[in-house]
Amino acid sequence: MGDMNTLALNKEEKKQLKELFSKNFSKLSDKEKKEVLQLGVKDFSKRFGPIIQKLASE
Amino acid sequence: MLVFPDAEIIDWWVEYLPESENIPLKESLPKIDKEWRMRVMSVISLIKMNYESGYSPQDLHHLGALIFYKINKAHNEIDGNKRSSIIITYLFYLMNDYAIREPEEMRLLAKRVARSKGKKNQDAWLHKISGFLSTRVIKLS
């Protein structure tokens, strides 16, 4: 298992994500759920963006 | 208790994906339309139902593998299944407090699964995928 340092997020964003997950996702408000997804997109696009582009071009 | 993406969460997720500030994905995403949503939701709803009724294993990585495999193999003739399987599996893990690493290995895995014939060896694939996922995630909290 890797660590939080491999996330494509800055220090504040990592802290924010950690705090959001002090509750189960299903217990979060819609606003908080959207925050989790937006942070997730930021990490996903940085890490997985190149392979999504690669798969799209194959 | 694990959580599964519902239609609203998937809508938000695919709404945010093209707007990413890091790498623009707008041109690279699979075609996300009503049919795509129905296909993805039918896979997730079935997996969720089996999970909630206790018919499937309750393990995060087994369920992640099921989502990855079933979306990848949903309809062979439709373009974008490999990308969809990665996008939705990442979302499932995210909602359950994990992030997946090793994108290149995941791309290769998605290609190998897509190339496998029909649903032959499904159990072996699920075992392989859940093993892969279990060693390539980080806990977020």
Side-chain angles (χ1 to χ4, degrees):
Chain A
M1 212 180 269
D3 63 54
M4 290 285 276
N5 291 327
T6 62
L7 285 176
L9 300 176
N10 63 36
K11 203 175 165 185
E12 278 308 304
E13 290 166 334
K14 284 176 199 163
K15 194 177 160 203
Q16 189 188 355
L17 200 54
K18 216 175 168 75
E19 281 170 6
L20 285 163
F21 274 113
S22 60
K23 280 191 276 184
N24 184 288
F25 186 86
S26 61
K27 307 277 184 217
L28 299 176
S29 66
D30 281 358
K31 183 176 171 285
E32 290 169 326
K33 285 177 182 171
K34 287 179 177 180
E35 284 170 7
V36 169
L37 297 182
Q38 282 165 335
L39 291 167
V41 160
K42 195 168 178 190
D43 177 63
F44 180 85
S45 64
K46 175 82 173 175
R47 301 274 167 199
F48 286 77
I51 65 123
I52 294 294
Q53 289 174 329
K54 206 167 180 178
L55 284 168
S57 66
E58 288 173 348
Chain B
M1 188 80 177
L2 297 174
V3 283
F4 293 79
D6 59 22
E8 188 174 47
I9 295 290
I10 287 176
D11 274 348
W12 289 341
W13 183 239
V14 297
E15 180 189 325
Y16 299 148
L17 277 175
E19 295 168 3
S20 155
E21 62 190 71
N22 283 325
I23 293 176
L25 291 175
K26 196 171 184 177
E27 306 301 322
S28 312
L29 292 174
K31 187 181 175 196
I32 294 168
D33 55 12
K34 196 178 163 189
E35 275 181 37
W36 182 90
R37 286 179 171 83
M38 279 174 62
R39 205 163 73 242
V40 167
M41 277 316 299
S42 69
V43 169
I44 292 174
S45 301
L46 187 60
I47 294 171
K48 184 177 180 222
M49 193 176 73
N50 285 334
Y51 166 75
E52 288 175 348
S53 53
Y55 289 132
S56 72
Q58 305 288 296
D59 167 68
L60 171 74
H61 305 301
H62 181 90
L63 294 162
L66 266 174
I67 290 173
F68 183 80
Y69 181 87
K70 294 286 186 185
I71 293 177
N72 187 300
K73 302 296 273 180
H75 287 286
N76 285 332
E77 71 276 16
I78 295 175
D79 181 47
N81 281 350
K82 294 188 282 294
R83 283 170 284 159
S84 300
S85 65
I86 293 170
I87 290 165
I88 300 298
T89 306
Y90 183 99
L91 173 63
F92 172 68
Y93 272 87
L94 175 66
M95 290 172 65
N96 286 287
D97 192 10
Y98 285 90
I100 306 175
R101 307 293 77 195
E102 306 302 340
E104 180 58 20
E105 285 182 56
M106 200 144 173
R107 180 184 77 88
L108 296 173
L109 184 62
K111 288 184 76 167
R112 284 200 294 274
V113 171
R115 273 201 307 266
S116 64
K117 296 278 181 209
K119 296 202 172 149
K120 200 178 161 194
N121 300 324
Q122 176 176 313
D123 288 347
W125 273 114
L126 290 175
H127 183 71
K128 194 178 283 188
I129 300 164
S130 64
F132 170 89
L133 290 168
S134 68
T135 55
R136 285 152 178 97
V137 292
I138 57 171
K139 188 104 170 90
L140 297 172
S141 64

